[in-house]
Structure formats: C-alpha cells, structure tokens
Amino acid sequence: MGLCGGVVSWPEGTWAAPSEQGGSVQATLAGTSSSSAPAAPSPAPVAAPSAVQPAAPAGKSWFSDIDVGLQIEGGAMANTGHPENGMNFGQLLQSHSDTGMLNQVALTITKPVDPIGDGYGLGANIQMLYGSDARAYIITGISDRWLDHHRYQLTPIQANIALHMPWLTKDGLDMQLGILSSPMGVEVLNPAGRAFYTMSYTAQYSNPFEHIGFYGQWHLNSHYAVLFGMDAGNQKSFGRGNNNGEPAGYVGFNASQLAGGALSLTYLLRVGPEDPRRALGSHRAHEAQRFWNDLNATWQINPKWSLTAEATQVHDEGLDANTWSGVIWGAYAATSTLTLNARAEVYRDSTGQFVVQYPEDTGYGRSLLGLPARTYSAPATTYGDLSFNAVWRPNIGHHVKLLQIRPEIRFDRSLNSTRPFADFRHQNRILIGGDVTLGF
C-alpha cells in the first residue's frame, strides 16, 4: 500500500530510495514539489546511477544539508448511500462518511546521501505522522499503543539510514536499513505523491504498508536493477510486536528509461508468513506463506499524457484466500498547475477476508496481532471502481512550498451482485469530496 514526503536523496544521478508504500521513487521532502501538478501515480523511473559525488569542500559539515519539511492534509468524502454505521466500506483511510478528517500532519527530517570516502555514501531519514491515516499505518510493537483509543494517532513512517556502496558493478549497491515503507505498488501514502485522495482496493488490501528491515537495489547498468529485501513482516516489529515470529522478504527488478525514456516498469515478489498465531496456532502460522505479486508500468505518451497500469495477485495459504486485481490510471496535464486524472479498477476478493472495514480506532492494529476486533466484511466480491479528479497546485510562494487541492468523485459497484455498501444494502455507491494539502 504506501509516505508523506521525503525520502533520503542519493547523489545526483543515482537511485533515490523507494518512498512510502508503493513502487514510486521520490527524493522530495514533505511539502516540497515542482510547480506542476502531479501526473498519474507511477513507478517513477530509477535515474541512471553514477559514482558518489566528490567529497564536500573543506569546512563543510556533513550535517549542513539536513532539511526539514512539514506537510498537512485534511479532507472528507460524502457517501450517497448514507450508511447508518457511518463507514465508507472498503476505505481504510477515508473510512468515515460525511466526516471531515485530519488525515496527516507529517514531519520529515532528511539527511541526503553524501560521500564519506572511497566511493561510499551515507544518509538518513526520519518521518513521523500524526492523524487519522496513522490508524492504518501503525507498526505493532512500536506505535500500536500510542494514542490507541483516539481517531488521530501517531506512527513512524520512516526511521532509517541509507547507504551507497561501490560494490559488484560500476553503479554499485544502494540500501536502506530501519523502519521503511513498502516498495510494492503504485499509490503511496504521501498525498503529494499520488493522484487521488481515495485509494484503490489494490493499494489498501493487496499491497503491504510498513516494514522493519532492509531494502537493497543493485544497479546492473543505467536501465536495470535487481531489488531485494527482508523484514519482520507487514507492519510488524519483533518479540510481542510480531504476530508469528517469522520474517518475510522481497525480490524483483526495475527497468527504467526504456523506449527512449518513455517507459518504466517494476516487478516485485514478496513471500513470508503474515497470519497471526492467535488465529492459526503457532505451527500453522509459521508454515503458511503469503505470496504477493505486483507488476506496474508507466508510459509517458507525451509531455501532457501519461498512463500507468498495475496488476497484482495475492495467495494466502493460512486463510486459503486469493485476490487479483488490475488498475489503470490516466493523467492529462492541462496546464502547468492543473492535472486531470482518471482511475479504473477491477478487484477480486475470493473469500471476503481481505476487504475488511475496522470501525474502531484500534481495530486494524488488533487484527494484525490476531486480537479480538469488531470488523465489517462482505462475502466473496468482485469490486469495480471508477474515479475522476482534478489536481490543482497554484504557485503561491513565500513560505508555502505546496498547496494542493483535489476534488474527486468515485463510483463503486459490486460486479457479482453482492451488496457490500451502505450497511450491506446496496450494490453501488458514489463518494464525492476531496482534500487539501499544505507543505512548508
């Protein structure tokens, strides 16, 4: 699934560490942006790597380029079904209907990767998020007990060091270690890094969110890189913060700047146990694997038009459950400050165990650990959704680095005649609303 703002930046021309939950590559601090509105979300191409930059001039401190960013997002989505339970079913972040939400207050402190000698580079990133989005992006054993009975919670999104190592190939190996956002998927938690306020079912239920572990990217050449990593599980820490005591990991590849720079794609396979021992028993929880497959690609048709597509498949042996999905985004840059976006998705939940709503503020975190939690779920359903929005980023200058306004309309429908919406009374639903993001 998916972060508010900055990731450590590598020396010019080298890989920028995966940002947030999602496959996008960003090196932008929270609140910073270009003057143009964002295109459709995409697995942004990995820049051609190069050697670490020469050592800093004498007298310049390694700490001199530390940067701080603050980003604030709030919004609301009205539900035409007016559900009595007050929930927008299938939305973890925009979960409450007809209700204004302070989604995020994100503070980011970034130390870009700088040379430390002999071709090596070192950087760091810390990012804390407060708001309603933190209820879904918590890490068990770390932030699941912070402000746990409040709608607005606190969680670390990033707390890691970043390394560049001149190993194996001319362009070397880049790595992050610590608290990291998942590299899988397209839509990220950072509202400045994704096209829509609402998220696809794929981003919420078939992409992981947060990890404690490491990621690596081995640059074979300027176009291709091997991706790999290992972690304690999706949103798990260690000891009592881990639901089964077993690790998980990634392997995949990235291809960038193909077809004259117009095409980039990323594939990742993730494997590891994810189900809690409290639900399956220790032996079964250790043995039952969850397999995640994600392939996404972006085609920049011309300076104004772009297309992004994502295909996912998840199989969970412990739940005996499967999902598959396909999502496509289209973006048109109407002006330097206005972009129009469309998104279409088909998502299949074969048993109804993946698309789950958590009405209680602690419900999502408790479910990760296999603890009792009140939930809403539908039977096996094939979901279809279609969304349209405009993203306006006026240039206002001064101390405001980003003002982003996104009105949105979203149409959801069960494609196999189940009734998952509006207290399980309706086959269809329309959400209308949007959000505002400020960056400083």
Side-chain angles (χ1 to χ4, degrees), residues 78-88 97-98 421-426 428-432:
N79 190 326
T80 59
H82 304 295
E84 294 180 2
N85 62 21
M87 305 299 293
N88 289 329
S97 64
D98 311 313
F421 305 116
D423 307 302
F424 306 100
R425 294 179 290 111
H426 294 169
N428 306 302
R429 175 189 63 197
I430 301 175
L431 298 178
I432 303 172

Side-chain angles (χ1 to χ4, degrees), residues 137 152 319 375:
Y137 276 75
Y152 301 130
L319 300 178
T375 61

Side-chain angles (χ1 to χ4, degrees), residues 19 30 273 341:
S19 81
N341 295 297

Side-chain angles (χ1 to χ4, degrees), residues 337-360:
T337 60
L338 179 66
T339 297
L340 306 177
N341 295 297
R343 177 184 64 201
E345 177 183 29
V346 176
Y347 183 93
R348 174 64 179 175
D349 181 358
S350 69
T351 62
Q353 296 180 83
F354 273 82
V355 180
V356 177
Q357 199 73 37
Y358 303 90
E360 299 171 327

Side-chain angles (χ1 to χ4, degrees), residues 29-365:
L29 281 176
T32 67
S33 69
S34 64
S35 60
S36 61
S42 67
V46 177
S50 66
V52 174
Q53 299 300 298
K60 179 184 176 183
S61 168
W62 184 80
F63 298 97
S64 62
D65 56 354
I66 289 177
D67 207 344
V68 179
L70 178 68
Q71 186 167 282
I72 304 169
E73 180 206 15
M77 296 301 292
N79 190 326
T80 59
H82 304 295
E84 294 180 2
N85 62 21
M87 305 299 293
N88 289 329
F89 183 78
Q91 290 294 303
L92 293 178
L93 302 188
Q94 287 66 55
S95 55
H96 288 69
S97 64
D98 311 313
T99 302
M101 309 281 282
L102 175 61
N103 291 95
Q104 301 180 12
V105 178
L107 176 66
T108 304
I109 303 172
T110 298
K111 170 63 185 77
V113 174
D114 281 338
I116 57 175
D118 298 324
Y120 290 86
L122 177 66
N125 185 64
I126 298 174
Q127 186 174 68
M128 296 297 297
L129 183 145
Y130 171 81
S132 59
D133 289 359
R135 294 173 305 160
Y137 276 75
I138 57 91
I139 301 173
T140 58
I142 294 181
S143 58
D144 56 326
R145 299 296 177 89
W146 299 353
L147 308 178
D148 61 348
H149 292 292
H150 298 268
R151 176 171 297 180
Y152 301 130
Q153 298 182 19
L154 181 69
T155 193
I157 300 299
Q158 300 266 357
N160 56 69
I161 62 171
L163 301 169
H164 175 78
M165 294 161 283
W167 297 352
L168 304 174
T169 62
K170 178 176 74 71
D171 299 318
L173 176 68
D174 293 306
M175 189 168 291
Q176 280 184 295
L177 303 93
I179 296 176
L180 311 152
S181 294
S182 168
M184 180 175 281
V186 169
E187 292 183 316
V188 298
L189 178 58
N190 180 7
R194 69 178 193 262
F196 288 89
Y197 180 42
T198 67
M199 280 188 170
S200 62
Y201 294 99
T202 298
Q204 297 176 100
Y205 298 107
S206 289
N207 291 156
F209 283 177
E210 294 285 323
H211 304 304
I212 299 177
F214 74 88
Y215 301 149
Q217 186 169 27
W218 174 27
H219 302 283
L220 303 180
N221 55 39
S222 62
H223 293 286
Y224 298 97
V226 174
L227 311 177
F228 59 94
M230 182 169 288
D231 55 72
N234 179 34
Q235 300 178 257
K236 315 297 192 313
S237 60
F238 303 97
R240 294 184 179 180
N242 197 294
N243 65 354
N244 56 39
E246 295 294 318
Y250 288 96
V251 65
F253 69 89
N254 173 268
S256 63
Q257 301 295 315
L258 305 180
L263 179 66
S264 298
L265 59 90
T266 299
Y267 168 74
L268 279 170
L269 166 68
R270 175 175 172 80
V271 181
E274 295 287 354
D275 300 317
R277 63 172 67 90
R278 290 183 177 92
L280 300 185
S282 295
H283 179 74
R284 182 61 175 158
H286 291 171
E287 296 295 326
Q289 304 292 309
R290 182 176 295 182
F291 300 88
W292 326 56
N293 287 276
D294 186 277
L295 174 65
N296 56 67
T298 293
W299 177 30
Q300 188 69 46
I301 301 171
N302 58 45
K304 286 188 173 291
W305 287 96
S306 67
L307 288 176
T308 297
E310 179 178 16
T312 68
Q313 185 270 335
V314 179
H315 172 66
D316 190 293
E317 293 180 335
L319 300 178
D320 191 23
N322 298 279
T323 75
W324 60 261
S325 63
V327 196
I328 188 167
W329 295 260
Y332 173 69
T335 71
S336 62
T337 60
L338 179 66
T339 297
L340 306 177
N341 295 297
R343 177 184 64 201
E345 177 183 29
V346 176
Y347 183 93
R348 174 64 179 175
D349 181 358
S350 69
T351 62
Q353 296 180 83
F354 273 82
V355 180
V356 177
Q357 199 73 37
Y358 303 90
E360 299 171 327
D361 294 326
T362 59
Y364 185 83

